[in-house]
Amino acid sequence: MLIYKILRAQEWAEFNARFILHGVPVDILDGFIHFSTAAQLGETARRHFGGETNLMLVCVAANRLGSGLVWEVSRGNALFPHLFAPLQMSDVLWARPIVDTPLGHVMPEGVA
């Protein structure tokens, strides 16, 4: 199963430079790195990144994250993937820009 992390341009630049992500401010505050499934991405983008531009979508295979990945009940009683460990660049399958339109964000091709 593929899971996704939305990063702002600066967050992506830092991850790309360091090859490790300990989380963005909300992740650090919550104690884990927030991910979304493909079905959850649209609402995540709308709720947490509405009006923002220059976003990057990072794709990871859930099975590569080992026991640090925990599925927890969150918004609407849905299970969300939460990573209780740093994310390594070597775990990233791909990263692509999210397209900004007047109607909102459009996820890159290949989101499944």
Side-chain angles (χ1 to χ4, degrees), residues 5-91:
K5 176 74 178 162
I6 298 173
L7 295 174
R8 293 169 180 91
Q10 182 60 37
E11 296 163 349
W12 169 247
E14 290 172 12
F15 183 28
N16 205 29
R18 294 188 178 119
F19 300 102
I20 190 167
L21 178 71
H22 293 280
V24 300
V26 69
D27 299 330
I28 293 166
L29 182 67
D30 290 344
F32 55 85
I33 298 176
H34 293 264
F35 282 89
S36 296
T37 65
Q40 296 162 339
L41 263 178
E43 183 66 11
T44 296
R46 188 188 67 73
R47 278 184 182 239
H48 302 288
F49 299 91
E52 293 192 47
T53 60
N54 299 316
L55 299 172
M56 183 68 70
L57 186 64
V58 175
C59 176
V60 176
N63 64 353
R64 295 182 71 165
L65 299 178
S67 62
L69 184 68
V70 178
W71 293 80
E72 297 183 308
V73 176
S74 189
R75 181 175 72 227
N77 287 328
L79 290 175
F80 277 77
H82 296 154
L83 181 59
F84 289 84
L87 178 63
Q88 307 291 327
M89 186 61 81
S90 59
D91 291 324

